[in-house]
Amino acid sequence: DFTKSWIIILQTVTLIPGDGIGPEISTAVMKIFEAAKAPIQWEERNVTAIKGPGGKWMIPTEAKDSMDKSKIGLKGPLKTPIAAGHPSMNLLLRKTFDLYANVRPCVSIEGYKTPYTDVDLVTIRENTEGEYSGIEHVIVDGVVQSIKLITEEASQRIAEYAFEYARNNQRASVTAVHKANIMRMSDGLFLRKCREVAENFKDIKFTEMYLDTVCLNMVQDPTQFDVLVMPNLYGDILSDLCAGLIGGLGVTPSGNIGANGVAIFESVHGTAPDIAGKDLANPTALLLSAVMMLRHMGLHGQAKKIETACFDTIRDKKVLTKDLGGNSKCSEFTGEICRRVQDME
Amino acid sequence: RSCLKSSPVLHKQNSSPQPPPAKYGGRHTVTLIPGDGIGPELLNHVRELFRFSCVPVDFEVVNVNSSVATEDDIHNAITAIRRNGVALKGNIETNHNMPPSHKSRNNLLRTSLDLFANMMHCQSLPGVQTRHKNIDIIIIRENTEGEYSSLEHESVSGVVESLKIITRYNSLRIADYAFRLAREKGRRRVTAVHKANIMKLADGLFLQCCKEVASGYPDIQFDSMIVDNTTMQLVSKPHQFDVMVMPNLYGNVVSNVCAGLVGGPGLVPGANYGTNYAVFETATRNTGKSIADKNIANPTAMLLASCLMLDHLRLHDYANMIRGAVLTTMNETRLHTADIGGQGTTSEVVQSVMKNIQSGGPLTTEQI
């Protein structure tokens, strides 16, 4: 205890500010973390795609090296270039670090009113295969086939992650979302792997539900859901549906878990070029993603402190950015959260 | 426009297929498939109500046993529907733990009869408490291909491929259906729902077909939206949507979201139209196993589906009479079953509907 108070271990986090409002919301997060005295050392990196040896598109070596070393990343929105000749940056990052799980906790924000209250669920989406394998063919003129790939390995991996997450975050149940009535083999395989993994996690309740039933029930009573695990497409749709329940992408955090211990947390909204550089952006999504990151790193106390300061500011309604219904600047909103964090010391 | 020359457009006035003519005595025969779960009891109520209201419809009941491996039952049902042209059905349960050779009977029925258009009109009922009010969305869903093509194989052990098929023919057909219906009903906007940014060829083709058809309907506004954004918009700003058209799986998702928004699976009727056949059922196709035989299921969706069927048979007066009575029960009498927050039983609701019919209750010409 004597030594603990003198040794502060700084964790390095690779920060990718991104485009548009990315830089300003990243600055906001860094300011808040400084005010909270969070033991984080930021290493800023750029991820514009470059052509590597052999003509393959890749992220810059400095960015990859930084992430491989730190294992933790925080990322702002990246713009999707049209006709740039290379795949989307998000796809590139996903492939580079084998980010197989996309995790989105959706919790109703008190003070930011939506028709849905008491939402508290987590969507865990398999992010490498499924319907987004990108394998499509024209069979004959006018007939196209798109291949959905489900593998035993990926299904097992995502199921294991989901149950581990549930255990580590004190969640009571995991629900596998599927359409095995129609896609018997593919979703059937996914379901089987989930059932197998569930056997090793008897402390967590396991249920299965059809995708359509989940959608039907989600919009009537989202409180019945806890952790949801599913293949790529269903995850894409459901995670956005759930974000809509709590107020949209501007307030929803997101994390991507990769193999080899890499985890990249990100805001999932766009770059908002129309308000970029005008001190109008709302940093909440990136901030809550950073809070998610702190929890992932085991820094629960810090996470709670920052999250509470953010939610209190929103609930108070005195200093809110435009999208939250107020007319304060990003810097003012950030400043208010910093003040609250400091008051908590 | 060479694309439209080979298009499967039905050269008729309206979008729905021609109903079979009434038989001798002016009575129609309709195939009835009770299905599983709450299907049988709800369809019994429909028959009871029809008898009470002297509706000139006779039902030919065809049972489909969902637990057997053979497909004889469903093929008998399909034959009966070919004969009668029209059917009213409950959902047939699919045991998804059976091997892939055991296909979904419901899907088999839809594809065999080529019921290419699933139509669901989602309307808020003033008497039902929901978070969003005044929703009025028509969802047109391609009903035979897409992700429901049932083409799967295990190429390598542990690796399964599932094929999603999108064809120009079916995409044009469903888009045409959507625009015709929109025009018929005086709707102003059609939104195509897709994921063409990721599935560039498949959903790209679907979107392209919608655009082509849209160009032939300059009076109707056309736009498109990516499916994940669509669901987000539906739960926050549902009033921006008018008519929506989409491939099979997204249709499944969007239909269920919309049904949930207006009050749940017990309220919304659905229709499946092909060139020659029409099959009516509840919009969200639930078996409701857990509430079966308890007299608590909401009969509204099935009763309204039977009204859609009567409209299809051009028995509009009967359709409007029953529909009006059902809506009066929902909105004025407010006799609700548990799923929409009430305490009434199924039979109490049906009794109330009959009472409203008897007292010549407010006849409404509002189409649902």
Side-chain angles (χ1 to χ4, degrees):
Chain A
D1 333 275
F2 173 84
T3 44
K4 263 187 204 161
S5 58
W6 287 99
I7 298 170
I8 304 165
I9 301 167
L10 280 181
Q11 289 255 54
T12 310
V13 169
T14 307
L15 176 68
I16 301 162
D19 308 306
I21 56 172
E24 52 202 290
I25 56 176
S26 301
T27 309
V29 170
M30 287 196 280
K31 275 210 180 83
I32 294 167
F33 269 52
E34 201 189 319
K37 298 206 191 72
I40 304 290
Q41 189 169 267
W42 305 100
E43 206 168 82
E44 266 189 62
R45 289 288 179 270
N46 191 345
V47 290
T48 357
I50 57 166
K51 250 213 171 125
K56 227 176 102 176
W57 287 102
M58 48 187 247
I59 64 171
T61 339
E62 307 84 55
K64 185 170 189 304
D65 289 344
S66 170
M67 193 73 77
D68 281 337
K69 201 150 143 253
S70 69
K71 300 288 190 194
I72 309 281
L74 182 68
K75 174 186 150 291
L78 292 173
K79 69 170 175 246
T80 318
I82 308 165
H86 64 75
S88 89
M89 287 317 306
N90 290 314
L91 184 63
L92 211 48
L93 278 169
R94 207 172 302 137
K95 289 241 140 83
T96 310
F97 299 106
D98 196 12
L99 301 174
Y100 67 90
N102 178 258
V103 185
R104 278 209 213 160
C106 285
V107 182
S108 284
I109 298 174
E110 199 190 325
Y112 188 47
K113 213 170 169 305
T114 66
Y116 299 89
T117 54
D118 303 323
V119 179
D120 185 1
L121 53 87
V122 183
T123 57
I124 297 182
R125 159 192 178 187
E126 202 293 322
N127 217 5
T128 63
E129 57 178 29
E131 301 82 347
Y132 294 5
S133 308
I135 312 167
E136 295 188 294
H137 311 108
V138 176
I139 310 290
V140 291
D141 186 34
V143 179
V144 177
Q145 90 182 10
S146 181
I147 296 181
K148 162 176 166 167
L149 206 67
I150 297 285
T151 64
E152 205 172 314
E153 204 186 312
S155 304
Q156 177 153 341
R157 190 164 64 163
I158 194 68
E160 271 168 3
Y161 181 77
F163 278 94
E164 296 278 4
Y165 181 93
R167 196 176 260 171
N168 296 338
N169 290 277
Q170 290 84 47
R171 310 292 305 208
S173 72
V174 171
T175 304
V177 182
H178 67 100
K179 273 217 73 73
N181 50 341
I182 300 293
M183 286 175 264
R184 194 69 50 78
M185 258 187 169
S186 45
D187 283 1
L189 173 59
F190 179 82
L191 209 52
R192 254 196 328 277
K193 297 319 282 182
C194 288
R195 285 175 187 160
E196 279 174 29
V197 173
E199 289 298 308
N200 299 330
F201 290 83
K202 295 279 196 191
D203 50 321
I204 312 278
K205 181 168 169 224
F206 173 67
T207 51
E208 309 168 0
M209 205 182 266
Y210 289 142
L211 171 66
D212 37 349
T213 313
V214 172
C215 289
L216 184 61
N217 293 344
M218 183 70 78
V219 301
Q220 291 179 86
D221 179 21
T223 63
Q224 61 187 275
F225 296 103
D226 194 346
V227 177
L228 300 162
V229 64
M230 60 217 111
N232 217 333
L233 176 68
Y234 312 155
D236 192 6
I237 297 174
L238 272 181
S239 59
D240 274 9
L241 174 63
C242 295
L245 298 177
I246 63 167
L249 299 181
V251 295
T252 307
S254 177
N256 298 287
I257 311 298
N260 306 317
V262 168
I264 301 181
F265 299 86
E266 61 175 348
S267 56
V268 286
H269 53 68
T271 51
D274 47 330
I275 57 167
K278 296 182 182 165
D279 198 15
L280 294 171
N282 176 1
T284 304
L286 190 63
L287 184 63
L288 292 179
S289 302
V291 164
M292 212 180 142
M293 178 190 81
L294 287 172
R295 291 206 165 100
H296 177 85
M297 293 158 84
L299 299 164
H300 296 277
Q302 297 280 2
K304 189 78 195 158
K305 199 164 61 177
I306 296 171
E307 188 186 59
T308 308
C310 179
F311 284 171
D312 284 351
T313 307
I314 296 176
R315 190 190 318 120
D316 217 28
K317 292 196 210 286
K318 291 205 190 82
V319 189
L320 293 177
T321 48
K322 192 150 173 277
D323 61 311
L324 291 173
N327 49 23
S328 301
K329 293 198 168 63
C330 174
S331 46
E332 290 167 341
F333 180 72
T334 308
E336 179 65 20
I337 299 177
C338 290
R339 249 185 305 281
R340 284 179 190 271
V341 156
Q342 276 157 345
D343 285 347
M344 283 185 208
E345 289 297 321
Chain B
R1 279 180 251 139
S2 57
C3 58
L4 289 175
K5 275 198 206 125
S6 56
S7 81
V9 170
L10 308 163
H11 296 287
K12 291 198 268 75
Q13 285 287 61
N14 55 25
S15 50
S16 323
Q18 285 283 88
K23 297 233 264 298
Y24 211 50
R27 297 185 70 81
H28 293 263
T29 307
V30 169
T31 306
L32 189 98
I33 303 168
D36 299 304
I38 54 176
E41 63 194 87
L42 293 182
L43 289 168
N44 277 337
H45 285 302
V46 170
R47 283 195 277 184
E48 191 189 334
L49 193 62
F50 275 26
R51 266 196 301 273
F52 175 84
S53 319
C54 305
V55 175
V57 167
D58 297 311
F59 287 109
E60 181 189 344
V61 181
V62 183
N63 284 301
V64 176
N65 188 342
S66 54
S67 52
V68 296
T70 69
E71 291 180 355
D72 292 343
D73 279 358
I74 192 65
H75 286 295
N76 288 340
I78 291 168
T79 308
I81 300 173
R82 284 195 212 277
R83 189 170 48 241
N84 297 321
V86 183
L88 187 61
K89 78 182 266 290
N91 199 48
I92 303 162
E93 192 180 345
T94 306
N95 182 351
H96 59 264
N97 294 313
M98 297 269 257
S101 50
H102 182 95
K103 299 196 189 301
S104 154
R105 272 51 177 142
N106 304 301
N107 199 29
L108 210 51
L109 195 146
R110 291 190 292 265
T111 52
S112 305
L113 296 169
D114 198 24
L115 301 171
F116 67 90
N118 178 260
M119 199 277 288
M120 172 177 158
H121 190 172
C122 241
Q123 273 180 303
S124 295
L125 297 182
V128 178
Q129 263 286 72
T130 51
R131 290 180 180 83
H132 309 273
K133 310 253 173 264
N134 301 319
I135 291 177
D136 190 347
I137 302 173
I138 295 180
I139 298 161
I140 312 277
R141 160 189 179 184
E142 204 292 323
N143 215 11
T144 58
E145 59 177 28
E147 301 81 350
Y148 288 49
S149 306
S150 302
L151 293 164
E152 296 185 298
H153 54 265
E154 192 162 1
S155 41
V156 170
S157 171
V159 176
V160 175
E161 286 185 359
S162 180
L163 305 184
K164 162 177 166 169
I165 309 288
I166 298 283
T167 63
R168 186 172 187 73
Y169 184 87
N170 288 327
S171 302
L172 285 175
R173 193 164 63 158
I174 197 66
D176 187 70
Y177 180 88
F179 278 90
R180 272 176 187 274
L181 190 75
R183 189 175 263 171
E184 212 180 285
K185 305 241 175 220
R187 311 290 289 220
R188 278 171 300 182
R189 209 166 116 245
V190 173
T191 305
V193 179
H194 67 97
K195 191 83 191 168
N197 51 334
I198 303 287
M199 284 180 256
K200 298 184 163 77
L201 290 186
D203 285 1
L205 175 59
F206 181 83
L207 198 55
Q208 179 58 32
C209 292
C210 289
K211 286 187 183 144
E212 283 175 21
V213 173
S215 61
Y217 291 81
D219 50 318
I220 296 175
Q221 199 189 328
F222 171 69
D223 54 33
S224 62
M225 195 182 275
I226 298 179
V227 62
D228 35 313
N229 187 24
T230 306
T231 54
M232 203 170 4
Q233 297 294 324
L234 279 169
V235 297
S236 46
K237 301 191 197 95
H239 302 99
Q240 61 185 288
F241 297 104
D242 191 350
V243 177
M244 301 168 84
V245 64
M246 60 208 86
N248 218 331
L249 183 70
Y250 311 148
N252 186 226
V253 169
V254 172
S255 304
N256 277 270
V257 169
C258 288
L261 292 177
V262 300
L267 296 176
V268 194
N272 303 283
Y273 297 110
T275 319
N276 303 307
Y277 313 110
V279 174
F280 302 89
E281 55 180 350
T282 65
T284 50
R285 303 169 174 169
N286 307 89
T287 29
K289 230 176 16 179
S290 58
I291 57 170
D293 300 318
K294 294 186 179 157
N295 200 18
I296 53 175
N298 192 339
T300 308
M302 194 60 90
L303 290 174
L304 291 177
S306 70
C307 294
L308 287 179
M309 182 197 77
L310 292 173
D311 274 324
H312 177 72
L313 295 173
R314 310 279 194 264
L315 295 169
H316 298 298
D317 288 343
Y318 289 103
N320 292 331
M321 177 178 75
I322 295 174
R323 183 177 298 126
V326 172
L327 293 179
T328 303
T329 303
M330 282 299 116
N331 297 327
E332 284 163 54
T333 324
R334 302 215 177 180
L335 182 55
H336 294 168
T337 41
D339 59 312
I340 47 175
Q343 290 166 321
T345 62
T346 317
S347 26
E348 279 170 358
V349 175
V350 176
Q351 289 298 318
S352 169
V353 173
M354 290 202 264
K355 211 159 65 179
N356 283 323
I357 289 174
Q358 196 157 48
S359 65
L363 281 173
T364 170
T365 50
E366 265 176 319
Q367 286 287 325
I368 282 275

